[in-house]
Amino acid sequence: MELKMNGRFWIETDKGPFLGFGRVELLEKIDEFGSLSKAASAMNMSFKHADHLVDSMNSKNSMPLVEKHAGGGGTFLTEEGKKAIILFRQLEKDVSEFMEKASSGLVF
């Protein structure tokens, strides 16, 4: 039987989780909809949880990834937020390629 490696990763700071698959997807949805409420809804996530994740990411970076405008003004990614998505997706590709190479020839 041929085996294949699979796994997930996340980026942490000394304060805890910073970026992972779900958080990056949330950033992408915020960018798509311009609304935290719509992004949360698209992910079947409560607004409160999505807001907590955004606050958590913003607090763990030197510059905010997301800007929230009160009073229905929308929610937007900053340039830092867009860079974070690009970085994470590149790391995701690199890790996937590494696992594919490392698992070639694994047999049980």
Side-chain angles (χ1 to χ4, degrees):
M1 167 181 8
E2 191 170 326
L3 302 175
K4 181 179 178 182
M5 291 175 56
N6 193 2
R8 291 196 169 211
F9 70 95
W10 56 92
I11 300 170
E12 294 182 351
T13 72
D14 57 345
K15 298 175 188 175
F18 174 54
L19 286 177
F21 288 89
R23 290 173 185 229
V24 169
E25 184 179 354
L26 178 61
L27 292 176
E28 290 170 335
K29 295 293 184 192
I30 289 168
D31 196 33
E32 178 182 349
F33 295 114
S35 161
L36 183 57
S37 177
K38 289 179 183 176
S41 180
M43 294 180 66
N44 296 317
M45 179 185 296
S46 74
F47 175 84
K48 184 178 179 177
H49 185 62
D51 190 48
H52 169 74
L53 292 175
V54 166
D55 288 344
S56 174
M57 287 183 281
N58 280 347
S59 72
K60 292 175 182 149
N61 199 47
S62 59
M63 298 177 66
L65 304 183
V66 176
E67 285 185 12
K68 296 183 276 186
H69 297 267
T75 304
F76 305 95
L77 290 187
T78 63
E79 285 304 312
E80 285 292 309
K82 292 176 183 183
K83 287 178 191 176
I85 291 171
I86 292 167
L87 168 71
F88 189 86
R89 292 301 182 202
Q90 182 60 53
L91 287 170
E92 177 182 39
K93 180 178 176 253
D94 293 345
V95 168
S96 178
E97 288 172 1
F98 168 78
M99 287 192 293
E100 188 175 315
K101 286 178 187 174
S103 64
S104 68
L106 281 178
V107 219
F108 192 81

